[in-house]
Amino acid sequence: MDLKEVIQTLKVGIIGGTGYVGAELIRLLSCHKKIEISAISSVSFSGKKLSDIYQNFYNLNNLVCENEEDVLEKSDIIFLALPNGLSEELAEKILKRNKICIDMGADFRFKNGLTYKKWYGKDFSLPELHEKSVYGLPELNREKIKGAKIIGNPGCYATSIELALLPLISKNLIEETGIISDSKSGVTGSGKSLSESSHFTNCNESLSAYKIANHRHTPEIEETLGSISSKDVKLTFVPHLLPINRGILSTIYTTPKEKINLTELHKEYSNFYKNEPFVNVLPLGGTAKINNVRLSNYCQISLHYDAENNKLILVSCIDNMIKGSAGQGIQNMNLALGFNEKEGLDFIPPAF
């Protein structure tokens, strides 16, 4: 694949194009000025028009769901928006065609195969692919993502928590154990398949914790942050289901190794993220909230200090479907292809 030629005529395909992530990718990519959506596939809706499944695309998108091989042949870069455990074989096919694969699931988020097996119940079937893959958090791995052929897009909760903690872990400012994250997400985070907890009557006018200290994003966060720390990072993570469509708010409790000056720490955070186009550190006194990032690729972070108990509290907010999923995938695509990182993503969140 001649990259210079592809930059002029880049064709993007999506395998698993009718789930929530696939549909969001299509919506966002439709506004991207440098690509063309070439093909999508769906096992459940093969042969059907996208607009028959999601009427927001009516008269705006004429894509018809094809098979996986059609997507592989027609596309230069392929997003895999599939359930966990299904991406390795497809990634191998994509790599053999010298094309680029961005996996939106968990299969390429881990380097440690034992950790993946413990939490997902499956061995790496093609471990050599994982050696070639890059974890797609741009704020951590930007240079590695550029030119990468296999990119593992981070989990949504993981993105919100990792972005909040990166400055602290990288500068050895907090205890690596005893970190607690109380995180809340909208119902789209659980995907399109209906479950008992996502029934309207069970989640409306309610707030519930689930997978307490047993969520699969926990080892992803620990492995990612541990990769930049001299010690193992240990996290207690409790996710909650909010009765809203989209958005994540993570409230993270940490213990500083020394008493901190919050004003100085805020300067450290602002400096750490000063060149990051999609991370905004709020002024002291402000508090990050979901409404400020909804329908955008931005992450907002606010800093708070409980001096009596020496606890540094971070609040981090993202839209789980954009910065937590499809938007970050497109950000990774832009980096891998040498586009402006903000292409197709630099829209301002709505005020209400």
Side-chain angles (χ1 to χ4, degrees):
M1 181 173 61
D2 186 331
L3 190 57
K4 290 183 180 179
E5 180 181 344
V6 169
I7 287 176
Q8 301 302 317
T9 60
L10 182 65
K11 296 184 182 299
V12 176
I14 302 165
I15 294 179
T18 58
Y20 285 157
V21 174
E24 191 74 345
L25 279 167
I26 295 166
R27 185 180 74 86
L28 296 175
L29 287 168
S30 297
C31 299
H32 198 291
K33 296 177 182 178
K34 294 185 179 291
I35 66 95
E36 171 190 344
I37 304 175
S38 52
I40 64 171
S41 74
S42 171
V43 173
S44 302
F45 298 100
S46 181
K48 290 188 177 293
K49 292 172 63 177
L50 179 67
S51 58
D52 289 338
I53 305 160
Y54 293 104
Q55 289 196 352
N56 59 309
F57 291 112
Y58 182 73
N59 260 354
L60 302 174
N61 189 304
N62 295 317
L63 285 169
V64 174
C65 296
E66 304 179 66
N67 61 51
E68 292 176 354
E69 285 298 321
D70 289 330
V71 177
L72 295 179
E73 287 302 317
K74 293 180 179 181
S75 309
D76 301 303
I77 183 165
I78 296 98
F79 287 91
L80 304 180
L82 298 169
N84 303 319
L86 300 179
S87 295
E88 282 181 296
E89 183 179 338
L90 284 165
E92 183 182 39
K93 291 180 180 180
I94 293 166
L95 198 62
K96 285 181 177 179
R97 288 169 164 85
N98 197 27
K99 298 180 178 183
I100 296 171
C101 168
I102 300 179
D103 182 29
M104 306 302 290
D107 293 4
F108 289 97
R109 292 174 185 166
F110 294 87
K111 290 297 183 185
N112 190 320
L114 293 177
T115 303
Y116 179 77
K117 183 177 182 179
K118 175 182 176 181
W119 288 85
Y120 290 87
K122 184 179 183 292
D123 287 310
F124 288 162
S125 57
L126 297 165
E128 66 278 6
L129 291 184
H130 298 268
E131 295 301 317
K132 299 175 182 178
S133 68
V134 175
Y135 184 71
L137 188 70
E139 294 78 9
L140 176 64
N141 286 330
R142 178 172 285 101
E143 295 307 313
K144 293 180 180 179
I145 294 166
K146 294 176 180 178
K149 294 290 187 180
I150 302 177
I151 300 168
N153 212 59
C156 53
Y157 280 126
T159 297
S160 70
I161 296 167
E162 288 165 6
L163 289 176
L165 290 172
L166 275 177
L168 299 173
I169 295 294
S170 64
K171 295 182 181 296
N172 196 32
L173 295 176
I174 58 169
E175 298 293 342
E176 292 83 5
T177 60
I179 301 170
I180 298 172
S181 183
D182 176 310
S183 299
K184 300 171 178 65
S185 176
V187 293
T188 50
S190 61
K192 190 176 180 181
S193 298
L194 192 63
S195 66
E196 188 66 25
S197 62
S198 61
H199 274 283
F200 178 82
T201 51
N202 287 334
C203 65
N204 184 49
E205 297 185 25
S206 181
L207 174 63
S208 58
Y210 65 100
K211 294 184 180 178
I212 299 171
N214 191 37
H215 194 283
R216 289 170 166 178
H217 286 186
T218 305
E220 176 186 347
I221 298 163
E222 291 178 342
E223 181 176 290
T224 301
L225 295 177
S227 70
I228 60 171
S229 173
S230 59
K231 299 179 181 179
D232 289 341
V233 173
K234 294 298 180 184
L235 172 78
T236 298
F237 171 45
V238 182
H240 300 73
L241 186 66
L242 280 172
I244 60 175
N245 284 346
R246 55 169 72 211
I248 283 177
L249 185 148
S250 291
T251 305
I252 305 159
Y253 302 85
T254 70
T255 303
K257 291 184 175 180
E258 299 178 0
K259 291 283 186 179
I260 64 167
N261 180 311
L262 192 59
T263 300
E264 291 301 315
L265 183 65
H266 182 268
K267 290 179 182 177
E268 290 270 4
Y269 261 79
S270 299
N271 186 61
F272 189 92
Y273 283 122
K274 67 180 180 181
N275 295 319
E276 293 299 339
F278 293 113
V279 180
N280 291 323
V281 180
L282 293 183
L284 290 178
T287 302
K289 61 180 182 178
I290 288 172
N291 276 2
N292 291 343
V293 297
R294 193 173 67 89
L295 295 171
S296 83
N297 198 53
Y298 291 95
C299 172
Q300 276 196 355
I301 299 170
S302 59
L303 310 182
H304 314 268
Y305 186 46
D306 178 354
E308 291 293 322
N309 295 295
N310 190 34
K311 293 295 179 185
L312 177 63
I313 304 163
L314 315 165
V315 181
S316 174
C317 289
I318 61 171
D319 185 311
N320 61 296
M321 293 303 300
I322 304 186
K323 183 58 174 169
S325 188
Q328 186 152 241
I330 293 168
Q331 188 179 354
N332 283 321
M333 180 194 77
N334 287 339
L335 286 168
L337 271 299
F339 296 153
N340 184 319
E341 191 171 337
K342 298 173 70 174
E343 177 63 45
L345 295 170
D346 57 348
F347 36 85
I348 297 172
F352 47 85

